[in-house]
Amino acid sequence: MDTGTFRGIITGILIIAFIGLTLWAYSKRRTKDFNEAKNLPFADEDDAPANRDTSASREADSRHDRGDKNT
């Protein structure tokens, strides 16, 4: 098997994979999943864990309490 035949086989496999992926992405069975995924940015964020990094706000409070004006 020479290089041209090998490249032709690989190209054929990639074309079949591309067509299969395209058909999968645009199939009617996937519509519900993709509609759910497209609305994720607008989901309610109450379920997300709170930001637990309070060190910056505590540091600012301590500077304010000490009366540091240069920070």
Side-chain angles (χ1 to χ4, degrees):
M1 180 169 14
D2 64 341
T3 306
T5 305
F6 181 70
R7 288 181 179 169
I9 292 170
I10 295 297
T11 302
I13 291 170
L14 290 175
I15 289 172
I16 291 170
F18 176 76
I19 291 170
L21 184 64
T22 304
L23 291 174
W24 171 80
Y26 287 100
S27 70
K28 298 282 185 199
R29 291 183 289 174
R30 304 295 302 168
T31 304
K32 180 185 173 199
D33 294 333
F34 286 131
N35 283 338
E36 211 172 279
K38 79 177 182 182
N39 289 322
L40 280 176
F42 306 111
D44 189 17
E45 295 183 10
D46 290 339
D47 297 337
N51 185 4
R52 298 185 191 272
D53 184 18
T54 58
S55 61
S57 64
R58 279 187 273 134
E59 185 177 319
D61 289 340
S62 67
R63 276 187 260 158
H64 179 68
D65 292 341
R66 289 185 305 209
D68 292 344
K69 294 180 181 177
N70 295 332
T71 55

